[in-house]
Amino acid sequence: EQDMAQKPLVSCSKQAYDVLKPDMLYLPHEEFWVLLLNRSNMLVKKQRVGQGGVSGTVADPRIVYKLAMENLASKIIVAHNHPSGNLKPSTSDIELTKKFKQAGDLLDIPLVDHLIFADGGYFSFADEGHL
């Protein structure tokens, strides 16, 4: 288990991207990951919560928020990749983000951001004003 001194601070989309980059760059299929953060925006845990095919993955907010509660997370960031390289969020990405946001508001574990990864960079729902 990592000691707390090694836990990275994740207080912006770039830091979230850097934490997830080793796991998510250059994947041939879609994956969905979650970063669990404490009150101080330190990473508590990162975990893959969904793996899909070339054109989609399923992420269940119940599974993600169960994980968040078990780990006493104060906030979460979710992320998935687009193997196609397209950074534009799909309609289902936008709907899923709304679901996560509503669940987070209800449970008092806010969704801080949703990142879409592609090999050329990332799209941040928070940075783009979609949260």
Side-chain angles (χ1 to χ4, degrees):
E1 191 61 27
Q2 294 173 311
D3 85 33
M4 283 313 272
Q6 292 174 316
K7 300 239 181 242
L9 178 69
V10 183
S11 59
C12 66
S13 60
K14 173 79 172 84
Q15 289 170 328
Y17 175 75
D18 289 341
V19 166
L20 286 163
K21 209 163 42 173
D23 304 293
M24 293 188 72
L25 271 193
Y26 310 118
L27 292 172
H29 55 270
E30 270 200 24
E31 288 189 1
F32 203 95
W33 285 72
V34 62
L35 298 180
L36 304 178
L37 306 177
N38 69 14
R39 274 187 200 288
S40 311
N41 293 322
M42 302 299 272
L43 182 66
V44 175
K45 184 175 194 163
K46 72 174 173 176
Q47 187 164 323
R48 184 175 62 201
V49 289
Q51 186 170 338
V54 174
S55 64
T57 182
V58 176
D60 188 334
R62 288 170 295 200
I63 290 170
V64 170
Y65 276 104
K66 178 177 183 279
L67 195 63
M69 288 188 283
E70 287 169 353
N71 288 277
L72 302 177
S74 294
K75 48 193 103 162
I76 69 166
I77 294 174
V78 294
H80 77 282
N81 62 314
H82 284 174
S84 66
N86 181 1
L87 282 174
K88 191 170 167 14
S90 68
T91 308
S92 60
D93 293 340
I94 292 164
E95 288 306 310
L96 186 62
T97 305
K98 282 183 188 156
K99 269 191 195 157
F100 271 103
K101 182 162 175 25
Q102 288 167 344
D105 290 348
L106 199 64
L107 295 168
D108 200 25
I109 305 173
L111 174 68
V112 179
D113 206 346
H114 179 179
L115 298 183
I116 298 173
F117 268 70
D119 296 344
Y122 67 93
F123 175 92
S124 159
F125 278 78
D127 293 355
E128 300 298 327
H130 295 300
L131 279 178

